[in-house]
Amino acid sequence: MRKLLAATAAVAMGLAVGGGVIPSTAQAQARTGSGYTPAPIAWGACASAALQARGAQCGLLTVPLDYARPGGTKIKIAVSRIKHTSAEADYQGVMLTNPGGPGGSGLTLSVLGEYVPGGVGGDYDWIGFDPRGVGSSQPALSCDVEYAGYNRPFYVPVSKSLERAWLTKTATYAKACDRAGGALLDHVKTTDTIADMESIRKALGAKQINFYGFSYGTYLGQVYATLHPGKVRRMVLDGNVDPRRVWYDANLDQDVAFDKNMDVYFAWVAKYDEVYHLGTSAKAVKAKYYATLQKLRKAPAGGLIGPDEWNDIFVSAGYYVFGWEEVAEAFAAWVNEGDAAGLKGLYAAPGEPGADNGYAMYLATQCTDVKWPKSWAKWKRDNWRTYAKAPFITWNNAWYNAPCRTWGGKVGKPVTVNGKKAPAILLISETEDAATPYSGSLEVRKRFPRSVLLEGVGGTTHAGSLNGVACTDDVIAAYLDTGALPKRVHGNRSDKQCEPVPVPDPTAAAAKSLSAAGGANRAPLRDLVRIR
């Protein structure tokens, strides 16, 4: 689940706990959080200006580092709350949220309720939180803030020296995280976050939770509903992780899907050749992309943007239609005018405190959720085979995940997702979602027999609900209002079809029309993507 995440300032801290064999009862408590009763959250002011403006409350929830030893070392989870605005008679409980990742900061996602049509979001207390190790939670993991710096070795290991350079670089990062994280690395699995969600529920005094999860957040929802089906009231899961593929295989699936989406993007750029002047066919634009990448191996754009940074910048176009114009503008400015300013603006500068927090926690969770292949021969064989048919992101993705080969945390076993006891939930996916391919949503639908799947037909945007598509957002609003869902149909297919998030139109006439229409919800679209 490779995910580009905005980093939050963090301080890495090592923790120490006692050893010993965990008995089976303690193991069960560790996976479910059932053996710990937290103190209430002491609510206060939020540091975020956006949360302050909305009257949000923030606080820290104290939880065990290891739920099997609830009396041992404690850590703190940063939580935010925007309380319901409806009459008490219309109040529908707490709504926990997660933006994905893993490693994504969700503290500000408590604002999500304002994007639900018809004021329905006002019926809930919206809860944002930074998962353990992330963002404002304490401690927060940071291993090497310079790791994603400029002019890294070329992703594609076309020589032995490049292969050795990346093997060394990724193993060194894993060691740095081991030193920085200490005992924390043994307790940041998906099941640990599920136990924290249970602690949040208890601290809020709620008998059940509602939950809205994007991307990796859908996996949290799946696992929570498996372990605590009676604690689930309503769930919206958008961009569904395939529980069969966690996590090594899921990344290979992404590689093929991203390549397909980039062809869609290159075709869009070609459609607007009068704007970008990069070619009149998808083939021509694609060729220019790869030719430029090779040139950057010898002479980085602006002295900073090499082939890896170039590839990273374009990855967002495979995730979402949001930002297509900005990427194309930077592409055109460099190729046609030699101006690297746009590229530099789209590639976040390394070196800020905690800059690698999201990435470090992505690895910390995925590397220990399940056993990864240790054999480099297998990685090499699988990725070269995939690269042959899908070159765009394959080696980028391989090295992104390669620290898992030598990761220091204790590896667990993933929960077998089973939604037979879960209530009716709403699943959402666009047909060509690359980060979480559509087949994953079909699999989750099978495992949750009361679920309903809404499909954004033909769309390439990942986890893009509540972005102004009335067909989709009105279903969400109706479900959160009354629990009503479209009728579930027979067969291995979606239950309701909607149009996808629309692609942008960069022509002057379209921009003028958009401005005249008061933005046509453009600001909320950008705001929500930025928040997530």
Side-chain angles (χ1 to χ4, degrees):
M1 313 324 304
R2 189 184 190 284
K3 182 81 172 167
L4 302 182
L5 298 167
T8 304
V11 179
M13 296 174 59
L15 301 172
V17 295
V21 177
I22 302 175
S24 58
T25 300
Q27 287 177 337
Q29 291 176 342
R31 287 167 78 85
T32 64
S34 60
Y36 178 72
T37 301
I41 299 169
W43 296 107
C46 297
S48 162
L51 289 178
Q52 289 178 19
R54 291 163 170 85
Q57 301 168 301
C58 290
L60 293 170
L61 174 69
T62 300
V63 299
L65 172 68
D66 181 356
Y67 277 89
R69 298 181 177 87
T73 303
K74 300 297 192 296
I75 60 175
K76 294 182 179 181
I77 307 300
V79 185
S80 70
R81 175 174 68 178
I82 295 180
K83 298 189 74 174
H84 65 286
T85 56
S86 65
E88 291 304 313
D90 296 323
Y91 176 58
Q92 301 211 47
V94 300
M95 175 75 74
L96 274 66
T97 60
N98 182 271
S105 170
L107 194 62
T108 58
L109 203 58
S110 53
V111 307
L112 191 62
E114 68 188 61
Y115 294 89
V116 181
V120 175
D123 294 346
Y124 294 84
D125 290 344
W126 289 80
I127 309 299
F129 69 99
D130 282 348
R132 53 175 55 203
V134 174
S136 297
S137 290
Q138 301 172 3
L141 182 65
S142 179
C143 313
D144 177 3
V145 298
E146 299 287 348
Y147 186 73
Y150 299 110
N151 298 324
R152 293 162 292 162
F154 184 37
Y155 280 140
V156 185
V158 292
S159 68
K160 286 290 184 181
S161 61
L162 282 169
E163 180 178 284
R164 285 193 299 269
W166 272 108
L167 288 172
T168 299
K169 183 177 175 69
T170 54
T172 300
Y173 189 78
K175 289 180 181 179
C177 287
D178 200 26
R179 289 192 300 269
L184 177 68
L185 295 196
D186 296 331
H187 304 287
V188 286
K189 301 172 182 64
T190 293
T191 48
D192 293 304
T193 298
I194 296 302
D196 290 340
M197 290 168 63
E198 264 296 271
S199 290
I200 293 172
R201 180 189 66 78
K202 293 175 184 178
L204 296 174
K207 292 183 178 179
Q208 293 180 307
I209 67 165
N210 304 280
F211 180 73
Y212 205 121
F214 299 92
S215 192
Y216 167 76
T218 69
Y219 188 59
L220 287 176
Q222 295 168 36
V223 176
Y224 186 94
T226 298
L227 296 177
H228 305 286
K231 301 296 193 303
V232 176
R233 184 172 178 269
R234 292 174 190 159
M235 277 191 174
V236 181
L237 305 182
D238 183 7
N240 289 279
V241 168
D242 189 333
R244 300 169 300 182
R245 308 290 284 175
V246 294
W247 291 112
Y248 178 81
D249 291 329
N251 285 283
L252 294 172
D253 294 343
Q254 285 184 328
D255 299 338
V256 176
F258 267 98
D259 216 84
K260 183 176 180 180
N261 277 8
M262 291 310 297
D263 286 344
V264 174
Y265 177 64
F266 292 140
W268 175 86
V269 174
K271 178 180 178 181
Y272 295 104
D273 184 59
E274 75 275 18
V275 176
Y276 302 118
H277 310 293
L278 291 167
T280 57
S281 69
K283 183 178 180 180
V285 176
K286 183 176 183 177
K288 192 160 291 185
Y289 165 85
Y290 282 106
T292 304
L293 182 148
Q294 291 299 326
K295 290 179 182 178
L296 294 175
R297 291 179 63 188
K298 297 180 180 179
L304 296 173
I305 305 298
D308 297 355
E309 294 76 39
W310 175 259
N311 186 227
D312 285 350
I313 288 166
F314 281 78
V315 168
S316 66
Y319 266 107
Y320 313 103
V321 297
F322 314 119
W324 272 15
E325 306 106 311
E326 288 84 354
V327 174
E329 288 164 5
F331 186 1
W334 173 247
V335 170
N336 297 329
E337 302 169 24
D339 181 356
L343 297 174
K344 292 178 182 178
L346 291 174
Y347 190 82
E352 295 295 326
D356 67 324
N357 174 243
Y359 177 55
M361 283 307 304
Y362 164 93
L363 293 170
T365 299
Q366 288 210 351
C367 296
T368 59
D369 259 358
V370 63
K371 186 177 181 180
W372 285 65
K374 297 293 185 182
S375 167
W376 174 243
K378 175 175 174 56
W379 284 66
K380 188 173 181 178
R381 180 176 62 252
D382 290 346
N383 282 281
W384 275 122
R385 182 183 296 128
T386 304
Y387 177 84
K389 59 183 176 182
F392 174 72
I393 199 179
T394 296
W395 279 108
N396 179 333
N397 213 5
W399 298 123
Y400 195 87
N401 292 279
C404 287
R405 291 183 57 248
T406 57
W407 197 255
K410 294 178 182 177
V411 176
K413 293 183 179 180
V415 171
T416 300
V417 171
N418 185 334
K420 290 183 179 180
K421 295 182 180 180
I425 66 174
L426 176 60
L427 310 175
I428 302 171
S429 177
E430 293 205 349
T431 316
E432 304 301 338
D433 182 343
T436 52
Y438 184 69
S439 56
S441 286
L442 292 175
E443 178 63 23
V444 177
R445 181 179 179 272
K446 290 179 184 177
R447 297 193 184 203
F448 286 77
R450 296 176 185 84
S451 67
V452 168
L453 173 59
L454 186 155
E455 177 186 2
V457 179
T460 63
T461 290
H462 170 58
S465 61
L466 295 182
N467 272 304
V469 178
C471 177
T472 298
D473 294 356
D474 288 350
V475 170
I476 295 168
Y479 173 59
L480 297 185
D481 187 21
T482 67
L485 283 171
K487 182 179 179 180
R488 184 173 167 113
V489 301
H490 295 292
N492 186 31
R493 56 196 176 105
S494 61
D495 303 286
K496 181 175 177 61
Q497 298 76 43
C498 290
E499 63 272 22
V501 177
V503 301
D505 184 338
T507 61
K512 183 177 180 180
S513 174
L514 190 66
S515 177
N521 293 324
R522 184 68 168 275
L525 295 181
R526 300 293 175 152
D527 287 349
L528 184 52
V529 172
R530 189 177 299 112
I531 288 165
R532 286 186 46 223

